[in-house]
Amino acid sequence: MFAIEANGQTIEAKKGETILQSLKRAGINVPTICHMEGLLPSGTCRMCVVEVEGFGGLVPSCSHPVAEGMKIRTNTPDVMQTRKTLIDLLLSNHPDDCLYCARNGNCDLAKLAADNGVRDRAYQGARSHRPKDISSPSIIRDPDKCILCGKCVRMCDEIQGVSAIDFVNRGSKAYVGTAFNQGLNVSSCINCGQCILVCPTAALSEHKYISEVLQALADPTKTVVVQHAPAVSVSIAEEFGFAPGTDFDGKMTAALRRVGFDRVFDTSFTADLTIMEEGSELVHRVQNGGALPMFTSCSPGWVKFVEEFYPELLPNVSTCKSPQQMMGAIIKSYFAQKENLDPKNIVSVSLMPCTAKKFECGRPEMAQDYVADVDYVLTTRELAELFRITGVNPAAIEPEAPDTPFGERSSAGKLFGASGGVMEAALRSAVFLLTGEEMKDYTIQALRGMEGSKELRVKVGDLEVGAAVVSSLGQARKLMNEIKAGRKDLHFIEVMTCPGGCINGGGQPIGADKEAIKARMAALYQIDSGDKLRVSHKNEWVQRLYTEFLGKPLGHKSHELLHTHYDKREVLL
Amino acid sequence: MPTVKSVETILMDHPAAGRDHLIPILQEVQESEGYLSQESITKVGKALDMPSSKIFGVATFFNMFRFQAKGKYHVMVCRGTACHVKGSGRALDLVTKALKIQPGETTRDKLFSLEVVACMGACGLAPVVNINGQFYAKVTPMKLQRIIEECREKEQTHAIA
Ligand code: SF4
Ligand code: SF4
Ligand code: SF4
Ligand code: FES
């Protein structure tokens, strides 16, 4: 620690940090655009400039290291004018249709302009007109709203290791696009939506299906059933002004009934079901010399990633459908039978923290007799919009319990929302299934937390299990390459596409920082610590589903409804 | 005619190439195949361990690369200083409108392709357009329109005959 001076006040700085970091800690705000927490500075936007005594010209604070005795000014007329000019230039060719814009109300660019006193158009530049790319079921790209900050490109490349998009052309003709300007749907994009979370504007947004859902709700001939993923209840409250980590589980259920859904189910129920199926699959592989290590298959971005980049390892991916798709499949079979409904008259809606789930529900593998298991996927953000459109305020509603038969869940199923949660849930049940005894303490600390890669060796009965947990596909890629190079000590690997897991999914509320993500994660563990039912194998309704309908894990019906297989996918890599 | 070398051969000529070899490799591929196809870019990407989006990005940064095979009639419009002064901008406008393509593109019927070049060294004849090696001097939009129509007619009579 040493002292520096900022705007005349003495503040503390740490060796090795940037000027921006020291200023932030002291509560001095400097606007940034291209800066990304945790990545090396790219220094392209220059929005973060400050004055440093003795330096000629302004200094970008996001990339410049602090030094002892520095005298910094962040709000001199020169600095403020420079910022304003930079914003003026960004706005000069921007379409001003904020009223109709996907980011109306939470736009970083609009906020930047407002915060810096931009109230007139200073320059009128030539507008570029590039067609919107609506080809993807998950992501919409509107290049006209792009301010070329490059964050999506870096996210896709440096964090996700996919590189579906990059800068094309140069100078005034530059834009962000795919190889050969193909539609995103045929590119290598795996639909994770992480690019949406970092985009300051509406240049990237999710493909919305709200009107389709409203139409279904208004149709008296349809039974509209909804399921919600584990990570949605701990983030939806943020959209209504509550602190990150506030759990709206019961309130959300009640609100969904007010919106008009006929049944409200919890995807954590099929997370429990997944544990039964996937656990049995793992044991089967171990006992019969099947392909190991086995990878989880609940994250559809990850599945597409393997299909594109590591097709030779597809046999190692679990054949289990994701909890969303399992729920869809049993809704349109078991539930339909029980309720005497024609599956064609059931509209199955799914609320997810995820944009890739939109792609997943449209996969041809995810249907029975040409009836899709899940019809529409809405993100957490769209759910908030749905509540607003219908005038339902979840904050003001008394909590209610979900519907049977797919409402009961264990808190192990709920843990699926955080990186490490699937593994923790799986180990809890594996110990019981292989030894007949329950774990003394269900908490497996080594699997918790925001690290991108976690590993654990545990004894389950006589079996020594090598377990690994990775989140973000950049991390997954590293592990895949180790395995391809001959690493043999792992048996079971959980992969989540988004850094930290679904709590940080591409469909979650925009503007969450690392602390907010941690709070969402903590909320899941909080729910688990106080829950009566903490293991999937004791979920009575899952057991009932087996006796009444499925038979046994990996049985004939399970194979038909809950399992699938994946093939190599040809895209431009 | 440039010699036709396969992408594989070109890559073999650059053993252990890194990303810094990208531009020369792309130049050789274009010289040999006339343009950069998706297949070639994928192959180069595999060899250099680069995603095709990045290669496409780098290649579009430079004006010299094209991504569609040339048409039967390859139209080159000179945008050198002399031609510019003499109104080659209008000539280019006309061609893009008449053919409904932008520089670097090829018409759907694969008849025409368009390229903008810096200077063809025929400044005395400005503005200059070159189609399949033949120079057209002091072109006006009217003249160009006629030239294009002639090419089209020639194709039609071929088709009938
Ligand atoms: S991206 Fe932001 S500034 Fe641009 S139109 Fe939308 S709300 Fe307005
Ligand atoms: S959705 Fe994911 S894979 Fe697709 S472009 Fe965005 S970051 Fe890349
Ligand atoms: S699409 Fe968004 S994140 Fe990507 S460069 Fe444009 S403004 Fe930045
Ligand atoms: S935020 Fe510092 S240069 Fe963009």
Side-chain angles (χ1 to χ4, degrees):
Chain A
M1 284 279 198
F2 51 79
I4 59 170
E5 197 186 297
N7 299 341
Q9 145 202 2
T10 305
I11 66 169
E12 288 197 320
K14 282 188 202 148
K15 201 176 151 62
E17 70 183 4
T18 60
I19 297 178
L20 184 70
Q21 285 169 316
S22 319
L23 292 175
K24 201 173 167 194
R25 200 173 336 97
I28 298 172
N29 248 345
V30 175
T32 60
I33 296 182
C34 69
H35 175 68
M36 293 174 87
E37 202 79 62
L39 293 187
L40 288 175
S42 72
T44 50
C45 77
R46 299 197 55 88
M47 192 60 61
C48 63
V49 287
V50 295
E51 236 174 65
V52 180
E53 202 178 281
F55 283 59
L58 302 177
V59 177
S61 62
C62 74
S63 53
H64 209 286
V66 274
E68 200 160 352
M70 253 185 182
K71 287 197 173 120
I72 299 159
R73 296 215 155 258
T74 70
N75 48 16
T76 62
D78 194 17
V79 169
M80 293 192 292
Q81 188 51 51
T82 303
R83 260 182 223 151
K84 212 166 160 200
T85 306
L86 286 169
I87 299 167
D88 284 337
L89 288 170
L90 286 177
L91 297 182
S92 68
N93 64 352
H94 196 81
D96 300 307
D97 59 352
C98 304
L99 272 177
Y100 310 102
C101 183
R103 287 289 291 270
N104 180 348
N106 67 349
C107 172
D108 294 351
L109 181 60
K111 183 172 185 318
L112 196 65
D115 286 355
N116 290 280
V118 176
R119 284 292 175 234
D120 305 291
R121 179 179 279 290
Y123 310 106
Q124 182 72 64
R127 297 273 165 84
S128 64
H129 284 295
R130 292 193 174 278
K132 266 195 194 180
D133 180 357
I134 56 165
S135 65
S136 157
S138 301
I139 316 284
I140 305 270
R141 294 195 318 116
D142 184 355
D144 289 356
K145 299 222 162 139
C146 174
I147 58 172
L148 300 174
C149 70
K151 289 207 265 195
C152 55
V153 173
R154 298 192 69 193
M155 175 54 81
C156 195
D157 177 26
E158 294 172 45
I159 305 287
Q160 295 299 50
V162 174
S163 279
I165 46 178
D166 206 334
F167 285 102
V168 182
N169 282 339
R170 68 167 145 182
S172 63
K173 292 206 179 98
Y175 61 96
V176 171
T178 59
F180 288 91
N181 294 318
Q182 288 183 323
L184 215 50
N185 63 333
V186 290
S187 76
S188 59
C189 168
I190 49 88
N191 306 302
C192 68
Q194 286 296 313
C195 52
I196 298 177
L197 295 182
V198 294
C199 181
T201 71
L204 289 161
S205 60
E206 71 271 37
H207 198 146
K208 292 188 181 180
Y209 295 89
I210 298 173
S211 30
E212 285 84 347
V213 170
L214 284 171
Q215 216 160 42
L217 286 167
D219 185 342
T221 66
K222 302 284 184 208
T223 303
V224 190
V225 174
V226 70
Q227 59 169 310
H228 59 88
V232 175
S233 78
V234 295
S235 57
I236 181 71
E238 290 165 44
E239 289 276 348
F240 294 89
F242 289 79
T246 310
D247 183 30
F248 258 19
D249 193 42
K251 284 176 175 294
M252 181 173 70
T253 301
L256 289 169
R257 292 207 178 99
R258 303 290 188 286
V259 169
F261 290 100
D262 297 299
R263 292 289 193 294
V264 183
F265 295 140
D266 190 338
T267 314
S268 305
F269 170 87
T270 34
D272 286 335
L273 185 60
T274 302
I275 290 297
M276 301 307 293
E277 292 290 330
E278 206 163 75
S280 310
E281 184 185 355
L282 181 62
V283 172
H284 184 83
R285 283 177 188 240
V286 171
Q287 287 170 348
N288 296 281
L292 288 171
M294 184 176 85
F295 295 101
T296 55
S297 56
C298 34
S299 186
W302 150 248
V303 170
K304 186 164 187 259
F305 182 82
V306 187
E307 291 175 318
E308 294 174 358
F309 292 96
Y310 295 94
E312 67 279 15
L313 287 173
L314 276 172
N316 295 61
V317 176
S318 162
T319 59
C320 286
K321 289 184 183 174
S322 70
Q324 158 175 291
Q325 294 306 139
M326 285 198 185
M327 179 67 88
I330 55 174
I331 284 174
K332 293 212 179 168
S333 56
Y334 175 68
F335 173 76
Q337 275 173 33
K338 242 177 123 83
E339 303 276 320
N340 221 348
L341 291 167
D342 181 349
K344 289 194 185 69
N345 289 329
I346 299 178
V347 177
S348 175
V349 179
S350 160
L351 309 173
M352 292 284 140
C354 181
T355 47
K357 290 279 166 194
K358 292 170 185 274
F359 163 79
E360 183 186 44
C361 81
R363 293 183 67 120
E365 301 91 341
M366 304 296 168
Q368 312 157 49
D369 298 329
Y370 304 103
V371 178
D373 292 338
V374 172
D375 296 289
Y376 305 113
V377 173
L378 305 185
T379 60
T380 311
R381 297 190 292 269
E382 287 170 279
L383 172 62
E385 202 172 322
L386 182 70
F387 282 151
R388 286 190 209 107
I389 289 178
T390 51
V392 174
N393 178 8
I397 300 183
E398 281 304 306
E400 289 174 13
D403 287 298
T404 50
F406 311 137
E408 187 186 355
R409 56 137 187 86
S410 77
S411 61
K414 195 76 182 162
L415 293 187
F416 271 56
S419 162
V422 178
M423 185 62 78
E424 187 164 338
L427 289 177
R428 288 179 188 178
S429 287
V431 168
F432 176 77
L433 294 175
L434 289 175
T435 67
E437 278 171 43
E438 292 291 338
M439 287 168 69
K440 279 190 213 68
D441 180 5
Y442 287 130
T443 302
I444 309 178
Q445 207 55 45
L447 298 174
R448 300 186 171 190
M450 289 288 291
E451 293 76 41
S453 163
K454 297 168 259 191
E455 289 193 15
L456 182 68
R457 304 202 66 82
V458 278
K459 269 200 101 72
V460 181
D462 305 325
L463 205 65
E464 164 133 337
V465 177
V469 168
V470 288
S471 67
S472 94
L473 296 178
Q475 294 285 353
R477 196 182 266 282
K478 268 194 224 153
L479 190 58
M480 292 299 256
N481 291 342
E482 284 174 26
I483 288 164
K484 271 177 70 174
R487 192 172 167 189
K488 290 256 182 317
D489 61 323
L490 294 173
H491 301 94
F492 190 29
I493 299 172
E494 174 205 297
V495 184
M496 292 198 191
T497 305
C498 294
C502 314
I503 40 162
N504 187 27
Q508 293 282 41
I510 280 174
D513 57 8
K514 206 159 179 188
E515 292 312 310
I517 310 299
K518 280 191 193 155
R520 292 174 190 164
M521 188 181 259
L524 289 178
Y525 289 122
Q526 180 66 35
I527 292 168
D528 176 55
S529 70
D531 212 272
K532 293 191 299 294
L533 177 62
R534 295 183 68 189
V535 289
S536 304
H537 54 271
K538 284 198 183 149
N539 184 325
E540 270 170 40
W541 286 89
V542 168
Q543 293 310 326
R544 240 167 109 162
L545 179 65
Y546 277 116
T547 27
E548 281 181 23
F549 184 66
L550 288 173
K552 58 178 200 309
L554 302 188
H556 175 68
K557 263 239 139 63
S558 288
H559 260 290
E560 206 173 279
L561 291 171
L562 309 182
H563 292 257
T564 183
H565 80 282
Y566 300 106
D567 291 315
K568 180 179 164 71
R569 192 179 280 269
E570 296 286 351
V571 294
L572 271 187
L573 294 184
Chain B
M1 257 333 235
T3 47
V4 179
K5 273 205 217 169
S6 72
V7 180
E8 284 80 4
T9 327
I10 292 168
L11 286 169
M12 254 168 345
D13 292 346
H14 295 263
R19 292 184 174 199
D20 49 330
H21 283 66
L22 177 63
I23 303 293
I25 291 175
L26 292 182
Q27 276 173 318
E28 286 175 43
V29 172
Q30 169 145 313
E31 205 166 295
S32 165
E33 307 197 327
Y35 73 113
L36 301 177
S37 67
Q38 297 190 3
E39 293 72 36
S40 324
I41 282 200
T42 317
K43 283 179 195 162
V44 174
K46 271 230 170 77
L48 302 189
D49 191 21
M50 264 183 101
S52 49
S53 65
K54 287 229 164 339
I55 300 184
F56 186 67
V58 171
T60 53
F61 190 86
F62 301 97
N63 276 327
M64 59 202 169
F65 295 112
R66 50 184 305 118
F67 305 93
Q68 292 176 351
K70 285 181 187 168
K72 189 162 178 191
Y73 298 93
H74 187 60
V75 184
M76 298 201 283
V77 178
C78 182
R79 291 290 279 133
T81 321
C83 287
H84 176 74
V85 173
K86 297 271 184 170
S88 66
R90 286 210 325 274
L92 182 61
D93 269 358
L94 179 116
V95 181
T96 54
K97 282 205 187 95
L99 301 179
K100 298 200 182 70
I101 52 172
Q102 293 301 312
E105 295 177 354
T106 303
T107 54
R108 272 177 183 238
D109 58 7
K110 303 207 166 54
L111 215 49
F112 294 97
S113 50
L114 178 57
E115 186 180 341
V116 165
V117 287
C119 180
M120 290 193 263
C123 306
L125 310 174
V128 189
V129 166
N130 178 314
I131 301 180
N132 291 354
Q134 185 179 344
F135 281 96
Y136 295 86
K138 305 199 172 159
V139 291
T140 58
M142 278 255 285
K143 230 170 162 179
L144 258 178
Q145 183 85 46
R146 228 178 21 247
I147 297 168
I148 290 171
E149 263 155 34
E150 269 164 28
C151 295
R152 278 201 180 119
E153 269 158 32
K154 222 190 289 173
E155 283 313 305
Q156 230 137 44
T157 39
H158 275 309
I160 294 163

